[in-house]
């Protein structure tokens, strides 16, 4: 197995040929991209429902890619994104990403440094390891947003989106007490409606008897399209493997990889930020790195 490196693929040159073909199937066309971006920019200026902090080509392109280059849908996503930011300023402003290492210590969530067979990054939540008296719901949201924002900088991820695994092993009543409709709504907003990064599938594994109660909280916020992308596997990893091949999964899910904690992405931030525009992009959103 090749060495694993926590590194963002932030250049257009890193897009594999197979992904470029998929991009074209989604409506992307090198000959007309610039024209489409300009049309989107003018649409934003004309409608004035939200005021993005940037309107350069790279920034607008990620919203277009997430919504298959459809102007109205991309604009709706843009507005949802800025509304979420306005309604949840505490998740962005004066947040120091490097101070969230304790989530890595508890191994509550991470994103795989590798991709699945289709090119998706995999976001993994292990809610049974969450101790609400040590880690707040707000910190889980902050960490999720940081990972989402970083992922949205990758052209491959803009085109392919990502998948999420909700591992509910050891889910307990103490967790359920913190999963209010408001929390569920925000989680779905991040994964489905309000970030320039498409969620291709949600996979539930290792659920126990509390799952039905938890699902009742989330279900009202899942649209019909997302319900079709929701897969419930229980402890049957062969069911999960029909969607994500074992060579692209951690060993705990019948795969080949070790666990790679969240803090390794924070280490990457310290290193890669100094060599690229990543830190500048994140600081424009309100995050603090010094």
């Amino acid at each position: 197995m090749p060495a694993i490196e926590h590194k963002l693929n932030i250049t257009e040159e890193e897009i594999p040929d197979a992904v470029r073909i998929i991009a074209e199937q989604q409506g992307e066309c090198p000959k007309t991209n610039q024209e489409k971006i300009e049309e989107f920019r003018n649409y934003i200026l004309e409608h004035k429902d939200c005021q993005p902090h940037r309107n350069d080509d790279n920034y607008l392109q990620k919203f277009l890619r997430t919504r298959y280059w459809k102007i109205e849908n991309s604009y709706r996503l843009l507005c949802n994104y800025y509304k979420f930011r306005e309604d949840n300023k505490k998740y962005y402003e004066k947040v120091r990403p490097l101070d969230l290492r304790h989530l890595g210590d508890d191994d509550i969530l991470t994103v795989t440094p590798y991709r699945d067979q289709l090119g998706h990054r995999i976001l993994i939540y292990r809610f049974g390891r969450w101790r609400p008296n040590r880690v707040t719901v707000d910190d889980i949201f902050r960490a999720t947003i940081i990972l989402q924002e970083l992922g949205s900088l990758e052209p491959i991820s803009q085109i392919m989106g990502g998948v999420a695994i909700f591992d509910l092993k050891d889910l307990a009543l103490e967790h359920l007490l913190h999963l209010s409709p408001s929390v569920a709504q925000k989680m779905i907003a991040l994964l489905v409606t309000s970030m320039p990064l498409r969620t291709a599938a949600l996979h539930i594994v290792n659920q126990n008897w509390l799952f039905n109660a938890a699902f009742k909280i989330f279900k009202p916020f899942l649209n019909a399209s997302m319900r079709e992308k929701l897969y419930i596997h229980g402890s049957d990893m062969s069911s999960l493997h029909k969607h994500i091949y074992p060579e692209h999964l951690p060993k705990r899910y019948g795969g080949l990889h070790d666990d790679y904690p969240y803090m390794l992405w924070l280490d990457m931030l310290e290193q890669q930020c100094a060599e690229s525009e990543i830190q500048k992009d994140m600081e424009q959103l309100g995050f603090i790195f010094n």
Side-chain angles (χ1 to χ4, degrees), residues 71-88:
I71 298 292
E72 291 185 9
N73 292 350
S74 300
Y75 182 68
R76 191 176 304 116
L77 172 62
L78 183 76
C79 292
N80 287 345
Y81 172 75
Y82 278 93
K83 184 178 189 308
F84 183 88
R85 285 192 58 188
E86 180 65 27
D87 292 345
N88 298 280

Side-chain angles (χ1 to χ4, degrees), residues 15 47 86 93 196 257:
I15 302 176
H47 286 75
E86 180 65 27
E93 295 180 355
H257 288 277

Side-chain angles (χ1 to χ4, degrees), residues 85 87-93 95 138 142 186:
R85 285 192 58 188
D87 292 345
N88 298 280
K89 292 181 179 179
K90 63 182 178 181
Y91 299 148
Y92 288 90
E93 295 180 355
V95 173
D138 284 346
R142 290 183 183 107
K186 289 176 185 177

Side-chain angles (χ1 to χ4, degrees), residues 208-241:
N208 59 21
W209 63 275
L210 285 170
F211 169 70
N212 287 336
F215 187 58
K216 285 181 181 178
I217 300 172
F218 279 86
K219 190 174 180 179
F221 305 108
L222 290 170
N223 59 29
S225 174
M226 203 63 238
R227 290 181 191 183
E228 293 178 357
K229 299 175 183 177
L230 177 66
Y231 303 95
I232 302 172
H233 305 285
S235 58
D236 181 6
M237 294 305 131
S238 66
S239 174
L240 177 63
H241 297 167

